[in-house]
């Protein structure tokens, strides 16, 4: 446990999650936002989430929810957030110019030891940090949403990031209960979204070509692939489905290549195929006006799965 200070910039969805993760390990977090109303809403929401996590038995760390909450301070003064923080997590909207502006300001306030970490989902770390005096201290820590129930966090250094920054970011994320994954090269979409969009692209083509309905395509994931993927990735799946990777190659590599070569080129989602997907998925997920109900349904299942995974990993 530590009583060191961490600064969080931006108190929206992701800023709140990071704040909760850091205080769960005993850090003192100072959250900065340009909107006072956001800071007030963030504190209320974080308390609500802490209460819910406690009732689900998913509160992280050794501190009570009250102790965790006491370690959060909010401020409208950037300096108060930055000065004395050894780690800064930026969670402002996904706009390159905005992120560059925020980091330029932070760059002028920090010392050479501070780690500057961005939550960006898709902007490359070199694009954000280019030109900063302390660009060797810059890194991306991209969480999966919701971070408490899906702990994988992509850690993406720029080519000029000090290896020590990557190591310390990894150590911190592990300490707060996340599962950091190193992305060794900067690439558009990092890894999670590249995989997600590859799946989405093929599903879209199969629906467009009349091979499967949108609901049935989702069933293949939720009742098939997704069930395995909750516990292991495609390569361990392959390993176990044969006698290791070489045996898998001998049995399936030619067939896999043939099928992969039949995939069509990417296409922008739109038009009649998108209409079909919207109408069919609305039959299970409900109308958009009532989307909150289905989100609650989803969150209940994500929570139960997070508990199951935690219990399985304990034994
Ligand atoms: P959000 O819109 O919920 O929150 C952004 C917050 O930043 C707001 O409170 C806003 O007032 C504040 N803000 C705007 N300009 C600011 C400035 N100059 N200084 C300080 N605060 C400022 O956004 P969200 O969803 O939390 O996203 C933040 C970052 O996290 C984005 O880069 C996003 O791509 C990334 N991310 C989002 C995920 C998601 O599922 N929403 C998942 C993983 C990463």
């Amino acid at each position: 446990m530590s009583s060191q200070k961490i600064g969080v910039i931006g108190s929206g969805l992701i800023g709140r999650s990071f704040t909760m993760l850091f205080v769960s390990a005993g850090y003192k977090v100072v959250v900065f936002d340009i909107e006072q109303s956001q800071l007030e809403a963030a504190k209320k929401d974080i308390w609500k989430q802490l209460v819910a996590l406690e009732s689900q038995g998913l509160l992280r760390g050794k501190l009570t929810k009250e102790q965790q909450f006491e370690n959060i301070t909010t401020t409208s003064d950037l300096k108060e957030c930055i000065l004395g923080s050894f780690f800064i997590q930026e969670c402002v909207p996904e706009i390159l110019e905005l992120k560059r502006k925020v980091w330029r300001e932070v760059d002028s306030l920090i010392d050479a030891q501070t780690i500057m970490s961005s939550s960006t989902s898709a902007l490359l770390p070199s694009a954000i940090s280019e030109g900063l005096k302390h660009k060797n201290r810059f890194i991306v820590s991209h969480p999966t949403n919701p971070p408490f129930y899906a702990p994988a966090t992509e850690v993406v250094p720029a080519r000029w990031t000090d290896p020590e920054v990557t190591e310390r970011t990894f150590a911190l994320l592990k300490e707060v209960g996340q599962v950091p994954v190193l992305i060794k090269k900067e690439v558009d979409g990092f890894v999670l979204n590249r995989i997600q969009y590859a799946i989405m692209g093929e599903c879209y083509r199969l629906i467009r070509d009349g091979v499967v309905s949108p609901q049935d395509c989702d069933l293949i994931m939720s009742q098939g692939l997704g069930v395995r993927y909750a516990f292991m990735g495609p390569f361990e799946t392959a390993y176990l489905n044969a006698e290791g990777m070489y045996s898998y190659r001998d049995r399936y590599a030619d067939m896999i290549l043939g099928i992969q070569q039949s995939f069509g080129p990417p296409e922008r989602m739109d038009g009649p195929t998108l209409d079909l997907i919207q109408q069919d998925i609305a039959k299970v997920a409900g109308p958009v006006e009532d989307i909150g109900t289905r989100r609650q349904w989803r969150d209940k299942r994500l929570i139960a799965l997070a508990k199951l995974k935690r219990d399985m990993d304990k034994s």
Side-chain angles (χ1 to χ4, degrees):
M1 193 179 296
S2 167
S3 60
Q4 286 170 287
K5 174 179 163 187
I6 294 180
V8 169
I9 303 177
S11 61
L13 188 72
I14 297 301
R16 295 171 196 187
S17 296
F18 268 115
T19 299
M20 291 171 64
L21 290 170
F22 295 140
V23 293
S24 76
Y27 290 103
K28 294 201 184 306
V29 177
V30 180
V31 191
F32 165 77
D33 202 297
I34 47 166
E35 296 285 343
Q36 182 61 32
S37 59
Q38 274 290 86
L39 289 170
E40 283 156 21
K43 278 205 95 166
K44 277 192 197 138
D45 181 41
I46 288 174
W47 178 251
K48 226 170 100 187
Q49 289 194 56
L50 285 171
V51 171
L53 284 170
E54 186 186 52
S55 71
Q56 293 150 8
L58 285 171
L59 200 62
R60 288 195 194 173
K62 296 192 177 74
L63 301 180
T64 63
K65 63 178 185 309
E66 288 80 8
Q67 289 169 322
Q68 296 191 22
F69 194 66
E70 274 169 20
N71 280 338
I72 303 170
T73 313
T74 56
T75 182
S76 312
D77 177 2
L78 181 63
K79 275 192 190 153
E80 204 181 314
C81 167
I82 302 305
L83 298 181
S85 290
F86 77 98
F87 191 94
I88 293 155
Q89 185 69 35
E90 165 268 306
C91 312
V92 304
E94 189 79 347
I95 303 163
L96 179 61
E97 267 324 302
L98 174 64
K99 290 203 189 266
R100 287 171 65 102
K101 179 176 153 282
V102 167
W103 280 116
R104 274 199 301 272
E105 226 175 316
V106 175
D107 194 35
S108 68
L109 296 170
I110 61 165
D111 61 36
Q113 308 309 316
T114 314
I115 294 177
M116 311 195 281
S117 170
S118 174
S119 307
T120 181
S121 305
L123 300 168
L124 297 183
S126 57
I128 303 176
S129 63
E130 200 177 12
L132 296 181
K133 194 165 63 178
H134 300 99
K135 66 180 185 180
N136 61 323
R137 310 300 296 168
F138 190 87
I139 198 154
V140 164
S141 306
H142 170 232
T144 312
N145 197 35
F148 264 84
Y149 308 124
T153 307
E154 294 181 297
V155 175
V156 197
R159 56 188 179 279
W160 45 67
T161 303
D162 278 349
E164 181 249 348
V165 168
T166 310
E167 278 162 30
R168 286 186 64 197
T169 303
F170 244 72
L172 175 65
L173 289 168
K174 275 190 183 160
E175 186 190 353
V176 302
Q178 292 301 92
V179 177
V181 177
L182 179 66
I183 309 303
K184 294 193 279 185
K185 286 182 182 175
E186 293 187 73
V187 57
D188 285 334
F190 309 142
V191 171
L192 183 141
N193 278 326
R194 287 183 85 88
I195 296 173
Q196 176 167 235
Y197 300 155
I199 293 173
M200 209 180 247
E202 183 53 16
C203 290
Y204 184 87
R205 286 187 291 270
L206 289 167
I207 293 164
R208 178 200 63 194
D209 295 346
V211 177
V212 71
S213 73
Q215 277 188 42
D216 285 351
C217 188
D218 270 14
L219 281 178
I220 299 267
M221 291 302 299
S222 64
Q223 305 299 324
L225 286 176
V227 178
R228 300 200 285 230
Y229 286 173
F231 293 94
M232 70 191 83
F235 291 119
E236 191 175 349
T237 299
Y239 195 98
L240 298 181
N241 279 357
E243 279 71 47
M245 290 314 295
Y246 299 123
S247 143
Y248 192 82
R249 171 201 57 198
D250 295 343
R251 293 185 205 194
Y252 305 117
D254 290 334
M255 176 197 69
I256 292 171
L257 181 64
I259 293 172
Q260 284 170 336
Q261 283 169 339
S262 75
F263 289 172
E267 188 180 307
R268 186 171 182 276
M269 279 193 262
D270 211 349
T273 307
L274 190 66
D275 296 340
L276 177 67
I277 296 172
Q278 167 63 35
Q279 284 153 20
D280 203 33
I281 297 303
K283 286 183 201 149
V284 276
V288 173
E289 302 73 55
D290 189 26
I291 208 158
T293 307
R294 189 66 171 180
R295 284 188 182 143
Q296 279 171 14
W297 174 95
R298 173 198 65 189
D299 292 347
K300 228 166 121 183
R301 279 153 186 78
L302 287 176
I303 290 162
L305 182 62
K307 269 192 202 160
L308 176 68
K309 279 171 74 74
R310 185 201 56 192
D311 295 344
M312 296 292 287
D313 290 343
K314 262 192 213 155
S315 55

